[in-house]
Amino acid sequence: MIILDYKDARPIYEQVVDKLQKLIINGVLEPDSKLPSVRSLAMELCINPNTIQKAYAELERKGFLYTIKGRGNFVSYNEELFTLKKQEYGQRLNALLKEAEEIGISHQEMLSMITGEGENHD
């Protein structure tokens, strides 16, 4: 379900948050489905349970999870979360386009890079 990259500069809990968000947005984890307990996921990933607890708390803060006392953590995906994530990607893409433009790369060149057109296939 989750594969951690120990070469990644981000903290482990951020990687867990990112992976779980993607699983929720892509529909792999369905709405109202129960997530693994903090302890079991920590054992599966061989990391400290506090790291999973911090990731779950962050996901709950962002609206991706809800907690039922004594029962666990559940997926609370809704269309608004997908829309917000889409807007975030749009903002990041615009920032990248602006940076590229500042060093002389046109929008058309960037589009060619994204679509794979114009690549040299020697």
Side-chain angles (χ1 to χ4, degrees):
M1 179 161 78
I2 296 175
I3 298 172
L4 299 173
D5 180 3
Y6 293 100
K7 294 177 185 172
D8 191 328
R10 296 177 301 160
I12 298 295
Y13 90 93
E14 284 184 12
Q15 291 183 49
V16 173
V17 167
D18 185 53
K19 305 276 185 185
L20 287 172
Q21 278 182 355
K22 287 177 181 167
L23 290 171
I24 292 168
I25 288 172
N26 292 331
V28 175
L29 295 174
E30 295 180 5
D32 300 318
S33 62
K34 189 176 188 309
L35 288 169
S37 71
V38 168
R39 184 169 293 163
S40 69
L41 187 54
M43 285 177 59
E44 183 181 321
L45 298 175
C46 299
I47 59 176
N48 189 310
N50 292 335
T51 302
I52 299 299
Q53 185 60 45
K54 188 173 183 177
Y56 279 7
E58 179 67 13
L59 286 163
E60 187 171 7
R61 187 188 70 73
K62 290 181 172 187
F64 284 89
L65 302 182
Y66 63 93
T67 302
I68 298 177
K69 279 275 191 216
R71 297 218 34 234
N73 296 291
F74 297 84
V75 175
S76 65
Y77 176 82
N78 62 48
E79 197 60 37
E80 186 178 318
L81 293 174
F82 178 73
T83 302
L84 288 172
K85 204 65 177 163
K86 201 169 157 181
Q87 288 172 348
E88 179 186 322
Y89 288 139
Q91 290 169 352
R92 287 168 47 193
L93 184 57
N94 283 334
L96 185 60
L97 286 170
K98 185 176 179 181
E99 283 181 45
E101 195 174 78
E102 287 172 358
I103 63 167
I105 301 173
S106 73
H107 286 208
Q108 189 58 45
E109 286 177 284
M110 287 293 289
L111 185 58
S112 293
M113 287 180 205
I114 292 168
T115 60
E117 296 173 12
E119 288 184 2
N120 292 333
H121 297 288
D122 296 328

